[in-house]
Amino acid sequence: MSQSPPPLSTWARHISPSPTLAVDAKAKALQSAGEDVCSFAAGEPDFDTPEHIKEACIAALRAGKTKYAPTPGIEPLRQAIAERYGVEYGLKVTPAQVIVSPGGKFNCYLGVLATCSPGDEVIIPAPYWVSYPEMVKLAGATPKFVLADDRTGFRLTPAMVESAVTPRTKLLILNSPSNPTGAVYSRAELTAIAAVAVKHNLYILSDEMYEHLIYDGAAPTCVATLSPEAEARTIIVAGFSKTYAMTGWRIGTTVAPLPIAKAIVDLQSQMTSNVTTFAQFGALAALTEKEKTRAALVTMLAAFDRRRKYLHAELNRIPGVSCLLAQGAFYLFPNISSFGLKDADFCSRLLDAEKVAAVPGSAFGAEGYLRVSYATSDEIIRKGVERLARFCATLKK
Ligand SMILES: *Cc1c(COP(=O)(O)O)cnc(C)c1O
């Protein structure tokens, strides 16, 4: 009698797969089976990486940049990242504080691992990006969710943060502009929230992945600039994926106070080593060939902004749907609770009936909403929202 193998690890048995990637995969599978799918499920820009960035990567590959690089990144890239924080935010950053990691997702995970031990609690504002809770659990810590729904513009107040703090709280995660809601906190709001973190001696992980995808003349806030006390405890995560349409390159960045940065480099040195060496030269071009990069970004932002306004207006024309006009990222988060269906049921029926894919709000810890991505063509958006309206009309009694 052969014995069956032992159970897999606690981590393997308790990790949930990414629901956003799952919906996207299902939409793509239907599409390749020949179905005419309109997907609002995308979590990445629909644009290609700007040409000058690709060329710099190809040139580096041809020049033999194919060996290991220093774990935290090639020196000129760390230098350029440090400099950009000075130029964009007036923040003094040295290259030693910068870590280049294989995607912003991994930067976030390393930030959690560097600060949280088993038994610690982490405050996660909901609706949240799907990976935060799983990262916290993989570190052995416990997520504490605080829900800010559309009544507060999906933004936490300092009092809401305060109410979630316990003696075990170690870390506060912030994400402005937000995935999934697109909400952008004002500088004043973040200042008040950071003060709560300082008061209770918490670390802050500020996920600023969408800092450049911001509309209506709003300005992004770098949380480390809010006060010297905030700077001393904040891990800033940002990257190339969303701003420069480089999701497949897998390059993200961390800026942290030196002791945290050192811990993160040590963790990365044992887990993945450096980001693909020649890819880092592409990222370097994104920061150094400023005029070309700016031109590409302006073009992408204009398209996102046009789609954002169109989609917002069309969603609000559907009886039973109400949607705030988000100021950042490339998502809207309409409220569909008036239909009296679980959002997951709403989404699966929508996909079956009209071949429209959207991610249910419950995947982000907020039942009763949809995450609708406008990182797709104007044509898909127009067709998709028309089908959504037709679907909603069948639900109305
Ligand atoms: C996309 C995303 C990331 C990470 O992106 P990478 O593709 O890993 O660089 C991190 N945080 C949020 C909120 C995101 O939406």
Side-chain angles (χ1 to χ4, degrees):
M1 272 285 281
S2 71
Q3 211 182 352
S4 56
L8 294 178
S9 72
T10 308
W11 318 124
R13 282 178 291 134
H14 293 292
I15 189 91
S16 323
S18 167
T20 50
L21 294 179
V23 172
D24 203 38
K26 189 170 172 193
K28 283 177 179 149
L30 278 172
Q31 219 146 20
S32 40
E35 297 282 4
D36 173 24
V37 176
C38 292
S39 181
F40 289 117
E44 61 182 337
D46 55 315
F47 303 102
D48 193 4
T49 304
E51 212 53 41
H52 65 289
I53 298 174
K54 290 196 210 170
E55 288 301 336
C57 173
I58 293 165
L61 187 51
R62 293 231 157 87
K65 304 294 186 190
T66 55
K67 305 288 193 236
Y68 288 133
T71 293
I74 57 170
E75 211 41 51
L77 180 56
R78 293 174 86 196
Q79 183 76 43
I81 292 163
E83 271 171 30
R84 94 157 172 92
Y85 278 93
V87 171
E88 292 178 36
Y89 298 108
L91 192 66
K92 251 185 94 182
V93 173
T94 64
Q97 291 176 262
V98 176
I99 305 104
V100 180
S101 300
K105 187 177 273 188
F106 199 65
N107 291 84
C108 291
Y109 182 45
L110 291 177
V112 172
L113 279 184
T115 53
C116 295
S117 306
D120 289 343
E121 292 178 358
V122 178
I123 298 177
I124 302 178
Y128 49 74
W129 184 48
V130 294
S131 294
Y132 301 140
E134 302 307 313
M135 288 171 180
V136 167
K137 288 191 248 167
L138 285 173
T142 306
K144 285 266 288 208
F145 303 111
V146 188
L147 178 66
D149 61 21
D150 51 2
R151 290 170 299 181
T152 58
F154 303 114
R155 301 190 306 279
L156 292 183
T157 62
M160 290 161 84
V161 177
E162 185 87 50
S163 70
V165 175
T166 77
R168 313 187 91 162
T169 311
K170 191 70 175 292
L171 174 69
L172 167 66
I173 296 181
L174 295 174
N175 174 219
S176 172
S178 153
N179 175 5
T181 66
V184 177
Y185 283 82
S186 73
R187 185 171 182 89
E189 288 167 337
L190 284 172
T191 302
I193 287 172
V196 176
V198 171
K199 177 181 159 196
H200 293 284
N201 200 23
L202 313 181
Y203 283 111
I204 301 173
L205 177 73
S206 182
D207 180 345
E208 300 174 9
M209 192 56 63
Y210 294 93
E211 63 188 315
H212 297 112
L213 303 185
I214 191 160
Y215 316 100
D216 299 334
T221 303
C222 175
V223 168
T225 65
L226 295 173
S227 69
E229 295 78 15
E231 184 180 353
R233 63 188 63 247
T234 298
I235 300 166
I236 313 164
V237 170
F240 295 84
S241 297
K242 311 292 162 62
T243 303
Y244 307 118
M246 293 174 66
T247 43
W249 290 62
R250 310 312 301 135
I251 310 179
T253 69
T254 298
V255 169
L258 262 190
I260 309 175
K262 287 202 174 102
I264 288 174
V265 175
D266 289 344
L267 285 163
Q268 179 160 307
S269 75
Q270 298 291 10
M271 296 174 84
T272 65
S273 306
N274 63 279
V275 169
T276 308
T277 306
F278 46 86
Q280 293 189 53
F281 285 88
L284 178 61
L287 296 183
T288 55
E289 297 183 33
K290 292 195 173 71
E291 281 317 309
K292 286 180 189 163
T293 301
R294 200 184 336 262
L297 185 55
V298 164
T299 305
M300 291 190 274
L301 274 174
F304 284 144
D305 191 26
R306 179 183 68 239
R307 298 166 183 173
R308 176 182 73 109
K309 288 177 176 147
Y310 172 80
L311 184 58
H312 171 258
E314 291 301 310
L315 286 171
N316 279 309
R317 280 158 49 117
I318 302 174
V321 175
S322 74
C323 183
L324 296 178
L325 181 59
Q327 286 189 309
F330 37 67
Y331 310 102
L332 294 175
F333 207 67
N335 186 325
I336 49 115
S337 60
S338 78
F339 296 103
L341 277 180
K342 290 264 181 226
D343 56 21
D345 294 338
F346 185 100
C347 286
S348 75
R349 286 173 59 175
L350 176 63
L351 188 57
D352 289 343
E354 291 286 354
K355 304 290 177 285
V356 171
V359 187
S362 51
F364 310 95
E367 171 65 48
Y369 299 86
L370 304 180
R371 189 191 72 172
V372 181
S373 165
Y374 50 87
T376 185
S377 71
D378 295 48
E379 170 66 9
I380 297 273
I381 293 172
R382 192 188 52 70
K383 243 173 35 181
V385 80
E386 204 176 283
R387 294 182 190 184
L388 174 64
R390 196 162 61 199
F391 174 73
C392 289
T394 67
L395 299 176
K396 272 295 192 198
K397 49 243 127 180

